[in-house]
Amino acid sequence: MLSLQHISKYYQVSGLKNFVLNDLSLEIDQGEFVSIMGPSGSGKSSLLNIIGMLDEPSEGYHYFAGHAVHQLKEKQRSALYKQYIGFVFQAYHLIDELTVYENIETPLIYQDFKGAERKAMVADILDRFNIVGKKDLFPAQLSGGQQQLVGIARALIAKPKLLLADEPTGNLNSKQGEEIMELFRKLNKEDGVTIIQVTHSEKNAEYGSRIINLLDGKIESSKQL
Amino acid sequence: MIGNYFKTTLRSLLKNRAYSFLNIAGLATGIACASLIFLWVQDELTFNHNFEKRDNLYTIYENQTYEGKMSTFHATPGPMAKAIKAEIPEIKNIARTGGTNNLLFSLGEKTINEEGSYADPEIFSMLKMPFVHGDITNAFTELHSVVINATMARKFFGDSDPVGKTLKINNEQDYTVTGVFTDLPKNSTFKFQWLAPLANIDHKMPWMMEWSANWTLTYVELVSSANVNGVNKKLQHYLASKNNGTKTECFLFGMNDWNLHDNFVNGKMDGGRIEYVRLFSIIAFIILIIACINFMNLSTARSEKRAKEVGVRKVMGAGKGKLIAQFIGEAIVMSFIAVFIAIGFMYIILPSFNNLVQKELSINISEPLHLTYLVSIGVVTGLLAGSYPAFYLSSFNPIAVLKSMKLPTGAGFIREGLVVIQFSISIILIVGTIIIYQQIQHVKNRDLGYNKNDLIYVSTQGKLSAHFESIYQQLKQSGVVEDASLSDFPVLQIWKNTDNYSWEGKQPAQNPLISFENVSSQFVRTMGMKLASGRDFYPNSSLDSNSVIINEALAKQMGKQGHVGAIIRNVGNKSYEIAGIVKDFLYNDMYAVSAPLVLYNNPTGTDVLSIHIKRNVNLQDALVKIGAIVKANNPGYPFEYKFMDDDFDQIFKTEALTGKLAGVFASLAILISCLGLFGLAAYTAERRIKEIGIRKVLGASVAGLTGLLSKDFLKLVGISCLIAFPVAWWALNNWLQNYQYRITINWMVFAAAGILAMLIALATVSFQAVKAALSNPVNSLRNE
């Protein structure tokens, strides 16, 4: 599904290149559930942002679903991104002024879905996630676990092929974390969504089908489970 | 999608009530204020628009040359109208009026003074006067006919049709009402309540039909195809052939220019009210811009709170264009809320504003012009105020804002720049207010050469002038009157003048315009004028039939002959001996030096009785006593008086209005700027809350922290002063050049304005600063 070849990301600091990612290559197939681990500053989030097209590598080739991303223009990249990718954050990043329902609906608005269609899709996912009763509440009225559930529902609403999660359980207690991980596994197994998550927790990493360890911007090890 | 934006906007407004209040209140104040000014401007620009033929209507003006300079007058010779109508084919219609007359109308016991004019009948069709009763074409077929307006008709006849009924004018002659016209709008040049045929006075005063006397106002309607320049060419030297080679030139002055362009310098049009219309329009825009700047400032200052939303929306696929649309949409929603509130404000303020500007302005939302204006001001303000925040907010990099909440730098600088602009404008307005006020006071406190206080005057209707001797004796006996006298005019305005005086040694090129006035012997004393030399008039005017009193200005003109006992000759070559020289006093132009003047001791036929009331008496009692005396000697006429100092204040109407408005606008500009500053200070305090916490833990005092937070803002006000002072100096120095008698600008004014702005800013900012400094550091540090 996606292929990174010789990807580097660096910042120039007084003439010296400060590498975040250093000549990294990686292939990920459709249907995989990959966990990226590594100490702070090893480049986990940068890698995820590049995969998610929120950031551009300084060097290297990036292929996604048959497109050479490094050659695409901003607009085309954004179209590709909208079609294929959903994002889940550690801090949920829900819009405080919108209700649960409206938060989930927002990506559909940006992808120009018609009103009736949006209604059906949001109703469907609220149902699937068992949060129909919460649809008119605002984020501040929900617990952390519930907020993250909304965050995931929002990431999945447009039926992405690839779900990117940056420490999705980082702000949750272990029970809530487990529930989220179970949900990820189910999405991966039953719906065939490809998932890439960044995590600090060994236990959560093991929900995936492959664990990649990063160190100093390079892949230190890759382990198939 | 718009629904979604609308929801976010409203919820975010409700969630941040204080911020929304500051933002919308500032914008609403700005819009209300600018809209009021635009209402005033609209009223000025549509002056005389009720007259359909205004594009073809003109008055004839004269340029007369004195001392090598042209002065412009609007009175013309009586026979001119008829003559040029016959000679110039482009003239479709022509009509004369005899200026404004205040005459006593009576119906049975009811007597009321009403202002109106004697006029030629063509005036009706030229002005297309809307008649409610009567026949416009035959209104003046009879000599003693009068046409009155609806208000006057109601006063005398109630709601019945008055056509055919009679009104007595000046207790002398019955006039038949032949028509009633609807009241003319307030913003029209013509103020008459009634019109009567000019022929009524033509034949009474034969000198008015001489080519050498300027008396009537002549109104011209040209055919629509006429070339105005061509007609002007024919008129330019027209009078020379009629009035033995006079250099006086005539020209047409179009109705569309009457209100706004009526100032003439050396015979050429040179501004007029249009300058104030421009000035106020600019001020309106400036106030609107200040309000928009506020909006931008507060929106960008709050952007850190919204950065997350921007990041999230971008991650969810929102393009930059959609985000810009969202933020501008929000700004427009807010500006429309502001417009609605502003309309409310305007309804509340309008009565006092009308009182201030002496107009009857009204808002009419169903009028297409006003509706279009309100909608466009909502959109324009929204775009203007929303554009910068929209571009700024939508440019955030999602990763940066979601991860570290780091914002692009540079906005701080722009925010500070905007605050500097706001305060610069405010300071300029403060300086302007003070200097305009000073200038008005300067002129008002000028030594006029007479005492305008405790002075009233009445016009000498009926037998007032004839019975003056007995009135005078009774007034003196009443104990409340210092002195009283008769004269042609109230002393502030003397409108009789000529260049036909001569004296020994007068140079041919020397032809100053000299004013002259008939007065009674008590005039100099009543006015409190001082004689520089010679004697006052004798009480018996016949003893003075060959004497005059001149003023110092004329004495100076006369050079060696400018002394008591010298001889001055008038147009008929009659010689007068100069009996006295009165010290210069001001009349007509309060900003200039006194113009040359001759006074005659000749009370017959004078129009004004001036009464100087004693200083220490009760004014109301005095007026009652005076009224009784005047009425007893002049039965059938009401006692209607005017205060000279009210008239005096009227002269400064425009300046006083400018001063008051500048004051109002300065306060509003400051208020709006302070709303913005308040919000900005709150933002700064919030952003530096951690720093403040740490400093406090390290032992900083509340006073020290307040100073730390306030310092930066005061620096901005300081910079504003540096920008505002030169601009204000330049602008006001220019304005003052309009006046011969003027103040010099004092640096203290600038210091005062600067300090005032500093204090206001400090008061605004320190509230937030103190609040932040007093907060418990434990709370602010815990969240890290």
Side-chain angles (χ1 to χ4, degrees):
Chain A
M1 151 164 258
L2 75 94
S3 162
L4 300 177
Q5 292 168 10
H6 306 290
I7 291 287
S8 291
K9 175 81 183 173
Y10 51 78
Y11 298 98
Q12 298 268 13
V13 179
S14 56
L16 288 174
K17 284 179 184 175
N18 194 351
F19 280 92
V20 183
L21 296 173
N22 194 349
D23 194 22
L24 179 149
S25 298
L26 175 68
E27 304 268 341
I28 289 171
D29 294 327
Q30 183 125 21
E32 276 196 277
F33 184 168
V34 180
S35 303
I36 301 173
M37 298 191 69
S40 289
S42 58
K44 303 184 300 283
S45 292
S46 297
L47 180 60
L48 202 68
N49 287 336
I50 288 173
I51 293 173
M53 299 176 210
L54 293 178
D55 205 356
E56 287 177 59
S58 312
E59 279 166 21
Y61 308 98
H62 177 190
Y63 300 94
F64 184 88
H67 300 273
V69 178
H70 52 271
Q71 288 173 344
L72 294 181
K73 293 205 180 85
E74 172 80 40
K75 262 218 170 113
Q76 298 164 308
R77 214 161 43 217
S78 157
L80 193 65
Y81 161 88
K82 276 200 247 180
Q83 192 187 343
Y84 285 98
I85 299 175
F87 240 101
V88 176
F89 303 94
Q90 174 180 5
Y92 332 127
H93 288 329
L94 301 176
I95 297 176
D96 298 333
E97 280 79 21
L98 297 181
T99 62
V100 166
Y101 182 97
E102 288 155 356
N103 261 294
I104 296 175
E105 188 191 23
T106 308
L108 297 178
I109 292 172
Y110 289 123
Q111 295 182 35
D112 298 326
F113 281 90
K114 295 268 173 330
E117 238 177 312
R118 293 206 300 261
K119 231 174 173 171
M121 291 167 84
V122 177
D124 186 48
I125 209 153
L126 285 169
D127 199 33
R128 253 177 76 198
F129 280 60
N130 258 326
I131 45 177
V132 179
K134 307 248 180 327
K135 74 177 168 63
D136 291 325
L137 298 181
F138 287 94
Q141 296 166 296
L142 301 176
S143 73
Q146 289 167 331
Q147 288 193 43
Q148 192 57 295
L149 215 53
V150 175
I152 295 168
R154 186 180 64 181
L156 292 173
I157 184 71
K159 303 206 165 52
K161 301 275 186 302
L162 176 63
L163 185 66
L164 301 175
D166 194 350
E167 299 196 43
T169 59
N171 284 11
L172 303 178
N173 63 35
S174 58
K175 187 169 171 289
Q176 290 169 326
E178 246 169 69
E179 282 169 15
I180 297 293
M181 281 302 117
E182 283 300 333
L183 177 64
F184 274 20
R185 178 184 279 166
K186 202 171 138 216
L187 285 168
N188 179 249
K189 288 267 170 0
E190 293 175 14
D191 301 304
V193 179
T194 310
I195 297 175
I196 303 174
Q197 68 165 345
V198 165
T199 182
H200 277 300
S201 145
E202 290 280 354
K203 204 175 129 213
N204 287 347
E206 281 163 7
Y207 280 86
S209 55
R210 175 156 53 133
I211 297 175
I212 294 169
N213 271 298
L214 288 189
L215 188 64
D216 297 334
K218 289 183 172 175
I219 295 178
E220 193 201 29
S221 67
S222 174
K223 178 170 72 173
Q224 207 76 31
L225 292 171
Chain B
M1 179 147 40
I2 289 174
N4 186 289
Y5 291 165
F6 197 74
K7 257 186 279 182
T8 4
T9 310
L10 282 185
R11 284 185 195 145
S12 129
L13 289 184
L14 289 175
K15 202 173 154 195
N16 305 286
R17 287 205 177 84
Y19 157 82
S20 315
F21 171 77
L22 290 180
N23 223 343
I24 293 178
L27 211 50
T29 314
I31 291 174
C33 177
S35 303
L36 285 178
I37 301 177
F38 287 134
L39 266 184
W40 179 85
V41 168
Q42 186 205 5
D43 183 83
E44 289 288 338
L45 292 181
T46 55
F47 223 81
N48 288 333
H49 273 214
N50 54 307
F51 301 116
E52 251 174 67
K53 296 181 174 174
R54 62 180 182 279
D55 293 339
N56 296 320
L57 290 179
Y58 302 84
T59 40
I60 293 183
Y61 267 37
E62 284 191 1
N63 278 331
Q64 303 171 8
T65 308
Y66 299 104
E67 301 280 273
K69 273 198 176 154
M70 286 213 245
S71 307
T72 306
F73 298 88
H74 58 249
T76 49
M80 186 169 179
K82 205 173 168 191
I84 58 172
K85 172 80 169 65
E87 288 174 44
I88 302 175
E90 289 96 326
I91 296 177
K92 189 175 170 190
N93 267 314
I94 201 156
R96 300 166 303 158
T97 73
T100 309
N101 294 283
N102 193 18
L103 301 185
L104 187 77
F105 284 75
S106 41
L107 178 73
E109 291 297 295
K110 198 177 277 175
T111 53
I112 304 170
N113 274 317
E114 297 279 3
E115 277 196 356
S117 293
Y118 288 102
D120 288 330
E122 288 82 0
I123 196 92
F124 295 125
S125 67
M126 287 167 71
L127 299 182
K128 277 213 162 174
M129 301 274 287
F131 271 52
V132 262
H133 297 296
D135 175 10
I136 190 166
T137 46
N138 295 316
F140 280 178
T141 26
E142 296 295 323
L143 183 65
H144 297 303
S145 28
V146 64
V147 169
I148 59 180
N149 74 1
T151 305
M152 190 171 158
R154 215 168 302 120
K155 280 191 214 163
F156 282 103
F157 304 102
D159 291 327
S160 65
D161 177 358
V163 171
K165 298 186 177 152
T166 54
L167 284 171
K168 189 166 268 194
I169 294 185
N170 277 356
N171 288 340
E172 286 164 358
Q173 176 69 51
D174 276 337
Y175 280 70
T176 310
V177 177
T178 52
V180 176
F181 57 91
T182 45
D183 292 3
L184 295 173
K186 233 192 163 186
N187 64 346
S188 100
T189 304
F190 296 101
K191 308 282 180 218
F192 47 70
Q193 315 283 310
W194 55 266
L195 287 173
L198 188 67
N200 280 297
I201 41 176
D202 259 1
H203 73 273
K204 276 190 203 159
M205 299 178 254
W207 60 267
M208 286 175 181
M209 287 311 283
E210 281 170 21
W211 281 95
S212 57
N214 289 326
W215 165 69
T216 60
L217 308 181
T218 307
Y219 297 95
V220 173
E221 180 191 348
L222 294 186
V223 294
S224 28
S225 59
N227 174 352
V228 182
N229 291 335
V231 179
N232 271 331
K233 223 165 240 151
K234 292 178 197 173
L235 282 175
Q236 191 177 4
H237 300 296
Y238 186 83
L239 287 181
S241 61
K242 308 286 179 184
N243 184 13
N244 60 63
T246 176
K247 281 185 193 149
T248 298
E249 298 176 358
C250 292
F251 64 96
L252 295 172
F253 182 46
M255 186 181 237
N256 289 325
D257 292 328
W258 289 358
N259 180 46
L260 295 176
H261 301 273
D262 65 340
N263 197 37
F264 290 86
V265 171
N266 202 15
K268 296 263 178 330
M269 271 210 257
D270 185 65
R273 276 184 91 75
I274 187 73
E275 284 162 21
Y276 287 96
V277 169
R278 282 197 199 117
L279 178 71
F280 287 141
S281 304
I282 292 171
I283 289 181
F285 277 113
I286 286 177
I287 292 215
L288 211 50
I289 286 170
I290 289 191
C292 286
I293 286 179
N294 234 14
F295 189 99
M296 293 187 209
N297 250 344
L298 288 169
S299 304
T300 48
R302 225 177 53 100
S303 55
E304 284 190 11
K305 286 202 165 167
R306 301 204 65 177
K308 186 185 118 187
E309 183 191 335
V310 173
V312 173
R313 285 189 186 270
K314 277 198 164 178
V315 170
M316 284 189 290
K320 202 174 169 181
K322 283 188 174 161
L323 286 173
I324 289 175
Q326 178 191 346
F327 290 122
I328 288 191
E330 281 182 16
I332 290 179
V333 168
M334 286 177 80
S335 84
F336 270 97
I337 297 175
V339 165
F340 282 114
I341 296 174
I343 294 173
F345 278 174
M346 285 170 70
Y347 272 109
I348 298 169
I349 308 167
L350 204 56
S352 20
F353 184 73
N354 273 335
N355 197 18
L356 180 68
V357 300
Q358 302 282 310
K359 283 186 190 290
E360 285 167 11
L361 306 173
S362 63
I363 323 165
N364 189 355
I365 298 174
S366 58
E367 188 188 315
L369 182 70
H370 287 187
L371 191 64
T372 320
Y373 164 78
L374 287 171
V375 171
S376 34
I377 202 154
V379 174
V380 170
T381 320
L383 284 178
L384 201 64
S387 55
Y388 172 67
F391 282 98
Y392 172 70
L393 283 168
S394 63
S395 69
F396 291 165
N397 178 337
I399 307 176
V401 293
L402 288 181
K403 271 266 144 159
S404 56
M405 297 290 167
K406 248 190 250 158
L407 291 181
T409 49
F413 177 73
I414 289 176
R415 272 202 294 277
E416 290 175 352
L418 292 174
V419 169
V420 168
I421 294 176
Q422 285 185 315
F423 268 86
S424 303
I425 295 170
S426 304
I427 293 165
I428 292 171
L429 287 173
I430 297 177
V431 173
T433 309
I434 301 176
I435 289 184
I436 293 173
Y437 177 80
Q438 282 184 333
Q439 165 71 3
I440 295 174
Q441 288 309 313
H442 181 63
V443 182
K444 279 193 174 175
N445 295 336
R446 187 178 182 185
D447 182 13
L448 293 172
Y450 51 87
N451 186 0
K452 68 177 189 325
N453 299 319
D454 312 311
L455 196 61
I456 62 167
Y457 68 91
V458 295
S459 66
T460 58
Q461 294 174 309
K463 302 276 182 263
L464 223 154
S465 177
H467 294 171
F468 177 67
E469 279 310 319
S470 73
I471 293 176
Y472 183 73
Q473 292 311 324
Q474 291 171 37
L475 284 175
K476 289 289 269 188
Q477 281 160 17
S478 72
V480 293
V481 171
E482 192 74 50
D483 222 323
S485 68
L486 292 170
S487 54
D488 285 336
F489 302 98
V491 65
L492 286 170
Q493 280 143 9
I494 300 175
W495 291 122
K496 276 187 184 171
N497 45 46
T498 174
D499 61 343
N500 277 323
Y501 282 100
S502 60
W503 52 85
E504 211 181 294
K506 187 187 180 192
Q507 302 298 315
Q510 197 180 1
N511 70 331
L513 190 63
I514 297 169
S515 303
F516 60 95
E517 182 168 36
N518 296 310
V519 299
S520 67
S521 61
Q522 308 85 347
F523 184 74
V524 171
R525 269 181 288 142
T526 307
M527 297 303 152
M529 294 168 183
K530 300 244 161 30
L531 284 173
S533 57
R535 61 164 176 89
D536 202 347
F537 284 131
Y538 293 124
N540 182 348
S541 63
S542 61
L543 296 176
D544 271 330
S545 60
N546 290 318
S547 321
V548 290
I549 291 179
I550 65 170
N551 70 352
E552 288 177 315
L554 180 55
K556 209 170 148 200
Q557 271 287 343
M558 292 174 70
K560 278 186 182 165
Q561 293 302 309
H563 61 84
V564 172
I567 300 295
I568 185 167
R569 286 183 299 276
N570 75 354
V571 60
N573 228 8
K574 183 169 186 312
S575 296
Y576 292 90
E577 188 191 329
I578 297 172
I581 298 176
V582 67
K583 283 199 168 171
D584 276 342
F585 61 90
L586 288 179
Y587 59 93
N588 297 1
D589 184 352
M590 296 297 141
Y591 300 101
V593 292
S594 173
L597 174 86
V598 177
L599 294 175
Y600 296 93
N601 186 358
N602 179 22
T604 18
T606 47
D607 293 324
V608 174
L609 166 64
S610 304
I611 300 168
H612 193 176
I613 299 171
K614 274 189 180 156
R615 246 271 119 98
N616 302 319
V617 299
N618 181 310
L619 191 63
Q620 287 312 317
D621 292 349
L623 287 171
V624 171
K625 282 184 183 161
I626 294 169
I629 294 168
V630 171
K631 270 202 245 176
N633 285 280
N634 194 24
Y637 287 87
F639 172 62
E640 287 181 358
Y641 56 88
K642 281 186 178 165
F643 285 96
M644 198 65 83
D645 46 3
D646 285 347
D647 277 20
F648 181 74
D649 288 339
Q650 276 293 308
I651 296 176
F652 304 99
K653 212 171 80 182
T654 315
E655 281 78 10
L657 176 66
T658 315
K660 272 185 201 159
L661 286 180
V664 170
F665 297 146
S667 332
L668 280 176
I670 287 264
L671 174 78
I672 299 173
S673 305
C674 281
L675 284 180
L677 200 60
F678 189 79
L680 218 53
Y683 156 78
T684 312
E686 194 179 302
R687 209 183 50 166
R688 295 174 74 174
I689 196 89
K690 188 180 153 201
E691 178 199 333
I692 294 165
I694 295 170
R695 282 180 189 270
K696 253 192 132 169
V697 169
L698 294 178
S701 69
V702 171
L705 285 172
T706 309
L708 178 79
L709 288 168
S710 308
K711 196 182 66 193
D712 289 346
F713 288 105
L714 290 187
K715 208 164 69 195
L716 295 182
V717 178
I719 296 172
S720 309
C721 287
L722 293 182
I723 295 172
F725 289 167
V727 177
W729 185 87
W730 175 82
L732 287 155
N733 198 44
N734 259 355
W735 178 74
L736 285 173
Q737 300 306 314
N738 292 332
Y739 304 101
Q740 267 192 50
Y741 184 77
R742 59 175 179 253
I743 53 164
T744 45
I745 298 176
N746 189 328
W747 65 268
M748 290 285 286
V749 173
F750 293 96
I755 291 170
L756 185 65
M758 286 274 187
L759 286 178
I760 294 172
L762 190 65
T764 311
V765 171
S766 59
F767 175 77
Q768 292 289 354
V770 169
K771 201 175 114 191
L774 285 174
S775 67
N776 185 346
V778 176
N779 291 330
S780 53
L781 294 178
R782 192 170 51 194
N783 288 337
E784 278 302 312

